[in-house]
Every structure is written in C-alpha cells, then in structure tokens.
Amino acid sequence: MENLKKLVVYYSLEGNTKLIAEAIASETGADLLELKPIKDVSPTGFMRFVWGGKQVMFKERPELQPVNVKIEDYDVIYMGSPVWAGSYAPAFNTFFNNHQIIGKKIGLFGCYGGQEGKLFINYRNQLEGNEIIGEIGFKNPLTLSKQESQLRAKEWAKKY
Ligand SMILES: Cc1cc2nc3c(=O)[nH]c(=O)nc-3n(C[C@H](O)[C@H](O)[C@H](O)COP(=O)(O)O)c2cc1C
C-alpha cells in the first residue's frame, strides 16, 4: 500500500502508546496526530486511575486541543490507545464523535498494563463501514520491552 496516504492517530498519557505510534509512523511514513485533551488527568499518582476510569464509565468526551488534520484525506489510519478500564481512552470518544470515519483501512494498536480487555472489540464497534487490516497489543512497552516493541510495531505496520 505504498501510495496510500497514512495517518497515525493516538492518545497517550504516560508515553507507551506514543512510543508505538512514533515507531509505526517512522516505518510507514504516516503523519502523526496526537489527541490531547485540553484538561487531562495527571499522568502520575493513583488518582489518574480514578479520574480516568470515571471518564470511561460515563463515556465522557473530553474537549481536545484543535488540530489541523483532514481525516477524510487519508486512506489508511492506524489508531492507538492505552487500555483504560478495559476500553480505549476517552479522548477517542471525542474523536469518534467529531469525525465520521468511513471507507478507510484501519490498523488498531494498544498498550496495557495487564490485559487488552475490550479495546479492540470496542474500537471495531465504532468502526463499522471500514476495513480493519490488523490489530496488535503491547504490554507497557516503555518499561518492559522498549526496543523489541518498537521493532514488533514496525514489522506489523509494514505489512499493511
Ligand atoms: C485511567 C487508567 C486506566 C487503566 N486501565 C487499565 C485496564 O483496564 N487494563 C490494563 O491492562 N491496564 C490499564 N491501565 C494501564 C495502561 O493501559 C498502561 O499503563 C498503558 O501502557 C499506558 O499507556 P500510555 O503510556 O500510552 O498512557 C490503565 C491506566 C490508566 C491511567
């Protein structure tokens, strides 16, 4: 899929998903779009689990910093999120609400501390009308397996 226009859309609170997003972008030449809530939970301290988990439970849509990217211009979109309370991070609630994603090739990736939970299932439910070309998960790559994870992400992404 050499001539296709590619985008990596991701959210990352603690840097793991960012690591993978950047590896995919560097391998595929994709543009990068980081979803950044204007008011985000603190990346340190136990309270991040409480506030972050609450946002997932109540399906909150945190307002995102404005971006200058036209999603409809892209053919292939890689989407990545940490697993929060078994799903994608709430920034993606806002993303899905703000953009109609249809007719794209979609690669899904995610990072988690324990298990991927319903991350990919919930992504797929939001992405009907698109072709899911692959999905891949990483367990805390920044601390557990940085270089191996970067390589695995690149090997995965270049297939598509
Ligand atoms: C609010 C919150 C909820 C989380 N919930 C889960 C979870 O349900 N399952 C899991 O395996 N990890 C969970 N984690 C751990 C993260 O998914 C994991 O640390 C991930 O690598 C972080 O990615 P990031 O550095 O891109 O933010 C949670 C982390 C936070 C902050």
Side-chain angles (χ1 to χ4, degrees):
M1 291 201 280
E2 284 301 308
N3 299 319
L4 301 180
K5 214 166 152 19
K6 298 173 184 175
L7 178 70
V8 180
V9 183
Y10 72 99
Y11 167 82
S12 184
L13 183 67
E14 298 165 67
N16 291 276
T17 314
K18 186 183 181 76
L19 177 85
I20 304 302
E22 289 176 347
I24 293 172
S26 82
E27 181 66 34
T28 61
D31 294 333
L32 272 170
L33 169 57
E34 181 174 9
L35 305 179
K36 287 190 180 168
I38 289 173
K39 196 167 167 264
D40 208 354
V41 301
S42 164
T44 55
F46 180 75
M47 285 308 282
R48 72 190 192 283
F49 297 109
V50 177
W51 294 123
K54 174 187 119 357
Q55 286 187 18
V56 175
M57 265 169 56
F58 290 99
K59 297 191 165 49
E60 289 180 16
R61 297 197 296 249
E63 193 182 339
L64 302 178
Q65 290 180 15
V67 288
N68 205 2
V69 175
K70 279 172 99 183
I71 307 292
E72 57 275 20
D73 287 352
Y74 290 89
D75 309 294
V76 179
I77 305 177
Y78 299 95
M79 284 184 197
S81 173
V83 174
W84 276 21
S87 188
Y88 45 72
F92 272 96
N93 291 336
T94 316
F95 179 77
F96 288 129
N97 186 62
N98 293 355
H99 302 281
Q100 213 201 1
I101 314 282
I102 201 103
K104 308 292 183 192
K105 294 180 188 300
I106 309 273
L108 299 171
F109 64 100
C111 296
Y112 46 84
Q115 291 176 341
E116 66 187 42
K118 288 183 142 189
L119 176 70
F120 297 121
I121 294 167
N122 290 351
Y123 261 137
R124 282 170 181 269
N125 285 340
Q126 291 293 332
L127 289 164
E128 278 176 25
N130 297 278
E131 183 194 347
I132 307 297
I133 55 178
E135 58 186 40
I136 188 168
F138 299 85
K139 188 165 179 171
N140 284 343
L142 258 186
T143 44
L144 292 182
S145 54
K146 188 171 170 186
Q147 283 175 350
E148 187 255 316
S149 297
Q150 285 170 310
L151 272 179
R152 195 156 68 88
K154 290 181 181 192
E155 287 299 315
W156 174 76
K158 78 179 179 198
K159 287 192 292 190
Y160 302 112

